[in-house]
Amino acid sequence: MDRIEIYDNGRAEIHTGDGVITVTSPNQAGLRTAAIIKARALGYRPVTRGRLSKLPIKRVLTTALVLAATCALGAASGWIVHGATLSKPATPPKTPEPKIITRTIHSSHLAGANLFTCRTGTDGNGITCTGLNDTGQLGTLTAEITSYEIEELKNKPISIITAGRSTSCAATANSVYCWGKNDTGQATGKPSNTPATPTAVLTGKGEITALTIGAAHTCAATGTSIYCWGDTSNGQIKDTGQTLTPTKMSLPKNIKGQIVTLESSGYVTWAQTKTGQWIAFGNNRAGEIPGAEKSSHIAPTEIK
């Protein structure tokens, strides 16, 4: 059957017995008019108003406004729209919102180990510790206490907290305070059988950018430097059996960036700079440091 088909991409097709004639228009609303004018030029005419013409028009429209305009034109001209219905535009399906199935939070204001936890206040100031306190992990020597707000750190802005087996440390802008088990000097740099109360063990070396506690030693970073103290009998700081007070480590000469991460796995300490360089040092008998020969002590070495 001869017909006119109008598409929603600015194109109309006049189907006649002899073939298909295409009409285009940048104005979608005027496309039907252009097709009718072209059809009339070819000799096609409507029969009577309200009846199918020799050349029925088929159109699928996307908006009610355009459909109303074309229907009005059809009534005035004697042409009718074949197969078109007045309908609302289809609503595209909504993309479902992603759902959180798990969330992992890493916070420098919360630390815990060996049945105790320490956290800062909601404003980031001061520290409260809870849980086991048999070796002063909570910052007080009263073993019966199970929750304690550390008096020495009240109202101090805390930037980092870290916890070892029974020792904790916290950093303010340029000082490191440690407390708890101190038998190898891991809290104060001087060994003692009595647990340590919060003590400023490292201060005046610049802004503290990272902090970690190993099995029995502690390390802190200040910009491009690393200071360590505590037990070194297993080569975790230096190749010596002496207990060290805060000692500046000798880093590879090509390490220039600020150290932003410190992690200890027992007797090995890892550091990472802001530019992504890696440094490792400590006991390497089990080959924990890749690329280094197994040894009781490996000096700070860049790992590539």
Side-chain angles (χ1 to χ4, degrees):
M1 182 178 67
D2 293 340
R3 66 194 183 280
I4 295 176
E5 291 184 352
I6 301 175
Y7 299 87
D8 61 0
N9 62 352
R11 177 173 60 90
E13 292 180 353
I14 302 172
H15 293 256
T16 69
D18 298 325
V20 178
I21 300 168
T22 301
V23 179
T24 60
S25 173
N27 184 351
Q28 183 71 29
L31 186 58
R32 183 175 185 274
T33 301
I36 290 172
I37 292 173
K38 182 67 174 178
R40 283 178 172 174
L42 296 172
Y44 288 91
R45 297 288 184 274
V47 181
T48 59
R49 184 180 303 237
R51 291 179 57 193
L52 284 175
S53 64
K54 184 180 179 182
L55 198 62
I57 301 172
K58 181 179 180 181
R59 181 171 188 162
V60 178
L61 300 172
T62 57
T63 66
L65 179 63
V66 174
L67 181 59
T70 55
C71 285
L73 177 61
S77 63
W79 292 80
I80 66 170
V81 178
H82 174 69
T85 57
L86 184 62
S87 62
K88 294 182 178 179
T91 302
K94 290 184 178 180
T95 302
E97 292 291 331
K99 295 181 180 180
I100 297 174
I101 58 174
T102 184
R103 177 186 283 116
T104 301
I105 299 175
H106 174 75
S107 173
S108 58
H109 288 179
L110 176 67
N114 200 27
L115 304 180
F116 75 98
T117 303
C118 295
R119 66 190 187 281
T120 66
T122 55
D123 58 356
N125 295 334
I127 293 178
T128 298
C129 297
T130 56
L132 185 67
N133 192 43
D134 59 342
T135 55
Q137 301 97 310
L138 308 189
T140 175
L141 299 183
T142 305
E144 295 79 11
I145 292 289
T146 58
S147 181
Y148 181 68
E149 183 179 5
I150 298 176
E151 186 69 30
E152 293 86 347
L153 298 176
K154 272 188 176 180
N155 301 319
K156 289 184 180 293
I158 306 300
S159 57
I160 307 171
I161 301 178
T162 189
R165 292 177 180 175
S166 298
T167 307
S168 297
C169 294
T172 60
N174 55 11
S175 296
V176 175
Y177 294 80
C178 297
W179 59 93
K181 192 171 183 179
N182 190 43
D183 58 332
T184 63
Q186 63 266 53
T188 66
K190 296 179 181 179
S192 172
N193 292 327
T194 302
T197 55
T199 303
V201 60
L202 181 70
T203 188
K205 303 295 184 181
E207 179 187 3
I208 308 300
T209 56
L211 189 61
T212 189
I213 300 176
H217 74 287
T218 304
C219 293
T222 60
T224 58
S225 300
I226 298 177
Y227 294 84
C228 297
W229 58 94
D231 182 35
T232 190
S233 60
N234 286 284
Q236 53 268 64
I237 301 176
K238 287 192 174 182
D239 191 13
T240 173
Q242 299 177 354
T243 298
L244 301 173
T245 57
T247 300
K248 186 175 181 179
M249 306 296 294
S250 297
L251 303 183
K253 292 182 179 180
N254 60 324
I255 301 298
K256 305 294 183 182
Q258 181 189 57
I259 295 168
V260 294
T261 302
L262 282 175
E263 291 290 345
S264 291
S265 56
Y267 302 141
V268 176
T269 299
W270 286 82
Q272 186 182 29
T273 68
K274 193 173 184 178
T275 57
Q277 291 178 294
W278 285 97
I279 308 160
F281 58 92
N283 191 308
N284 192 43
R285 287 195 183 98
E288 301 98 312
I289 301 175
E293 293 184 7
K294 293 183 179 181
S295 173
S296 59
H297 174 73
I298 299 293
T301 302
E302 183 180 7
I303 306 300
K304 297 183 179 180

